[in-house]
Amino acid sequence: MVSKSSPPTSPILSSESSETPEEFYHRIATDNATRTTSLSSDYAWTHVTITNVAGNHDWVDDSRKRVADFIIFGEVLSPLYGTRISAKGNVYPPNKQLHSSDKIKWAFAIGLPSDATHAYNIVHDRQLSVIHREFDDSCTLYRQRAEEARNDPTSVEPGTEPEYKHFLRSSDMNGPLDTILLTTENIYTMSASSAKTLGPGAKSLPSRLRTQQSTGSSSNIAEASASVNLKTTYSPAEIFPDHTGEQFLHHQGCRVVQLDFRDIEGNLVPMGDVRRVFRPGTFIQSRVTLHAYDILDQRNPKDPRRTRSHLIRLRSAQVLRESDEEYEPIYLPPTVPNFSPIKRSNEDASPSKKRREPRSPTGKTSSAMSED
């Protein structure tokens, strides 16, 4: 049976097909989830502090002694704004050669709906305001640590000023930071055989996930949705049409993990169908956590670069209003025959090919002229 349990910490908002946009947004703005667990709610931040975890930082709920989770609302934007739902996810550069051990995630760019009412505009603006506030607090905390490190020679804390990467992105190159970027967990996990080949340090597929594996091909997605659960895994080549070619040549030992994506009825959406169900124009409710990572790039030892990267981790998402935009499948470029110049030169040099003799202006070959 399909699991219909709601995402933790928040009741799922029911959907009414007969609702007008005004009624829909008013219900969201006044719902208990918005007032108590939403990112825009002051109540949700009552016991939250930024906590140092192995040099990085998590936003932790001290009352529950775990990472704090919040609810974010918004409309899924197109890939032009940063949404990445494909076999290669948010990998950069896009043509990078992928391996089984690579961490590949999906990204969802969330923005303000074009038909948003004044009541929902307040909720959305509040979400952006809170994220800006937390980004500033995180940067201030980092600068305090850096200052302490500079004054304490025994400190292991970084003493250099990093490049700060915001939680938010801009929908316009020169515009304000108005787009919320959500990043999922890894969408792949290595099979046990692949992890054994790569060595003891590689992470294999947990036994609880190996107990139930589904092919989940595009032809049986409807059938798979009847039994899919959060332990289901899939063969990537069978559910992602773009999982092909030289880019994935060394990415064959992986399985796709079922993440917590739910349709408007609360049913889990098979991973091969997420791109269609969560296409641009879909209004969603997401459960997220906030994190900050200190990244040291030492590729140039003389000038190491430190980055303070802020991330909103998507833990679960549900459709609250379906999109009326047409679904656009992943574009697959046509296959072009590979003509190798090395192979061509080898063929030309083959003894089986008779060399054509040059002809003189009279039309005779050089051998015929010598006989004359």
Side-chain angles (χ1 to χ4, degrees), residues 359-364:
R359 289 181 175 272
S360 68
T362 61
K364 293 184 177 182

Side-chain angles (χ1 to χ4, degrees), residues 102-170:
D102 288 340
K103 296 179 180 180
I104 302 175
K105 305 172 178 67
W106 282 348
F108 290 79
I110 305 298
L112 182 69
S114 57
D115 62 348
T117 61
H118 176 69
Y120 180 72
N121 262 286
I122 295 175
V123 174
H124 185 77
D125 289 346
R126 175 63 177 163
Q127 288 182 152
L128 297 179
S129 176
V130 169
I131 294 174
H132 277 294
R133 180 194 71 196
E134 295 307 310
F135 173 78
D136 291 341
D137 288 351
S138 174
C139 294
T140 299
L141 178 63
Y142 186 96
R143 292 188 180 101
Q144 291 174 351
R145 288 171 52 208
E147 183 65 26
E148 293 172 358
R150 283 191 289 268
N151 297 329
D152 182 4
T154 63
S155 175
V156 296
E157 296 290 346
T160 57
E161 184 74 4
E163 174 189 357
Y164 295 99
K165 289 190 176 181
H166 210 294
F167 291 112
L168 304 175
R169 300 294 184 270
S170 175

Side-chain angles (χ1 to χ4, degrees), residues 58-80:
D58 294 335
W59 274 249
V60 175
D61 186 339
D62 291 335
S63 65
R64 293 186 289 177
K65 304 300 180 183
R66 64 179 179 85
V67 176
D69 47 22
F70 307 94
I71 300 300
I72 285 183
F73 299 99
E75 182 175 284
V76 178
L77 303 179
S78 75
L80 292 175

Side-chain angles (χ1 to χ4, degrees), residues 7-15 19 23-42 44 69-77 108-117 119-131 168 178-182 278 281-290 312-314 316-321:
T9 77
S10 172
I12 291 180
L13 298 172
S14 59
S15 175
E19 280 184 317
E23 293 171 335
F24 174 75
Y25 291 121
H26 175 75
R27 181 163 54 83
I28 290 177
T30 58
D31 190 89
N32 183 62
T34 307
R35 290 186 284 105
T36 58
T37 60
S38 170
L39 189 77
S40 60
S41 167
D42 289 332
D69 47 22
F70 307 94
I71 300 300
I72 285 183
F73 299 99
E75 182 175 284
V76 178
L77 303 179
F108 290 79
I110 305 298
L112 182 69
S114 57
D115 62 348
T117 61
Y120 180 72
N121 262 286
I122 295 175
V123 174
H124 185 77
D125 289 346
R126 175 63 177 163
Q127 288 182 152
L128 297 179
S129 176
V130 169
I131 294 174
L168 304 175
D178 56 358
T179 302
I180 304 172
L181 191 66
L182 312 179
F278 285 77
T282 305
F283 191 92
I284 66 173
Q285 167 186 283
S286 306
R287 184 174 65 87
V288 304
T289 54
L290 276 59
I312 302 179
R313 180 74 70 197
L314 177 62
S316 65
Q318 184 186 353
V319 175
L320 297 186
R321 188 178 63 175

